[in-house]
Amino acid sequence: MGQHVNLGSRLFLLAAVLALTAGCAVPPVGEGARPEPVIPGLTRPVSDVEALLDYYERLTKLQGQELAKEYERARQTYAKTRSEYNRLQLALHGALPGAGPEDQVQSLNLLEPLVKSNEPRSGDLRRLALLLHGLIQEHRRLAEGLNAASQRVKEEQKRAEDLQQKLDAIKSIEKALIEREQQMRKQR
């Protein structure tokens, strides 16, 4: 019985080790596939959406030359492999704070095919694309409204300056008339 228990516990231990290591196999990276991102402290597989959100968070910490290099890397990756994942990764650059109108338009154009797609395999990525597309459009709408309001303020300031100049000219004329009238009274 001692050997039977020992054999049973060995089989259990072997089964447990196999079960634990089964998820550790690294699948081959083929054309168009992307390596699974590694997020320290995360013990479960990372979805594409989680990986893209992590990527966006990293982008927000980059500045200047580092951000430009990462943009170029993302652009080249998308040019090589036009996957939905790489499309979204590149589109995230236009969603960054401070992204210019050109970047936002490019991102909207990148997102259009995913937004219009009805493919079931695009589920989570499509929903993220819908969210990004809506946020970028809303940001553009607000920026355009802010620009229009800023332009109106400048026009009103110019108008106020013009009116102030006219008022000052009228006051100057009135003062000159009063002084002239006073001089005429003195001469009489």
Side-chain angles (χ1 to χ4, degrees):
M1 181 153 186
Q3 282 186 341
H4 181 38
V5 171
N6 195 10
L7 181 61
S9 62
R10 283 185 185 174
L11 285 174
F12 176 77
L13 181 59
L14 179 61
V17 168
L18 286 174
L20 290 173
T21 59
C24 296
V26 178
V29 177
E31 188 65 32
R34 69 169 183 81
E36 284 296 317
V38 177
I39 299 176
L42 198 60
T43 57
R44 61 183 172 76
V46 175
S47 71
D48 284 347
V49 172
E50 289 171 311
L52 286 165
L53 291 173
D54 179 57
Y55 178 74
Y56 180 79
E57 183 179 4
R58 283 184 278 132
L59 284 179
T60 61
K61 295 175 185 172
L62 299 179
Q63 294 179 359
Q65 194 69 347
E66 289 177 320
L67 186 58
K69 284 181 184 178
E70 181 54 33
Y71 171 79
E72 186 57 28
R73 188 207 61 75
R75 190 191 62 73
Q76 288 176 359
T77 301
Y78 177 66
K80 288 178 189 173
T81 310
R82 293 184 172 265
S83 68
E84 292 173 347
Y85 180 86
N86 291 338
R87 177 183 295 271
L88 274 163
Q89 197 173 46
L90 184 57
L92 283 171
H93 286 265
L96 288 170
E102 304 84 24
D103 296 329
Q104 292 174 343
V105 168
Q106 180 187 12
S107 290
L108 289 172
N109 290 336
L110 283 166
L111 293 169
E112 280 297 319
L114 279 172
V115 168
K116 293 179 179 178
S117 172
N118 290 324
E119 293 183 35
R121 66 179 179 85
S122 302
D124 288 343
L125 292 179
R126 181 176 180 276
R127 287 191 292 266
L128 180 60
L130 281 168
L131 175 68
L132 278 173
H133 193 268
L135 290 174
I136 293 171
Q137 281 185 322
E138 182 65 11
H139 184 269
R140 286 181 52 77
R141 186 186 68 75
L142 291 173
E144 288 169 2
L146 182 61
N147 287 339
S150 177
Q151 185 62 35
R152 284 192 302 272
V153 166
K154 287 179 184 176
E155 290 169 1
E156 288 300 318
Q157 286 175 337
K158 175 78 170 113
R159 186 170 166 250
E161 288 172 4
D162 290 346
L163 290 174
Q164 185 63 48
Q165 287 176 353
K166 289 177 182 177
L167 180 62
D168 290 344
I170 291 172
K171 284 182 178 179
S172 177
I173 292 171
E174 182 182 31
K175 183 179 177 185
L177 288 174
I178 292 172
E179 288 175 357
R180 188 167 144 191
E181 189 178 304
Q182 287 174 352
Q183 284 178 356
M184 289 173 85
R185 283 186 189 165
K186 286 182 185 178
Q187 289 177 357
R188 287 188 204 175

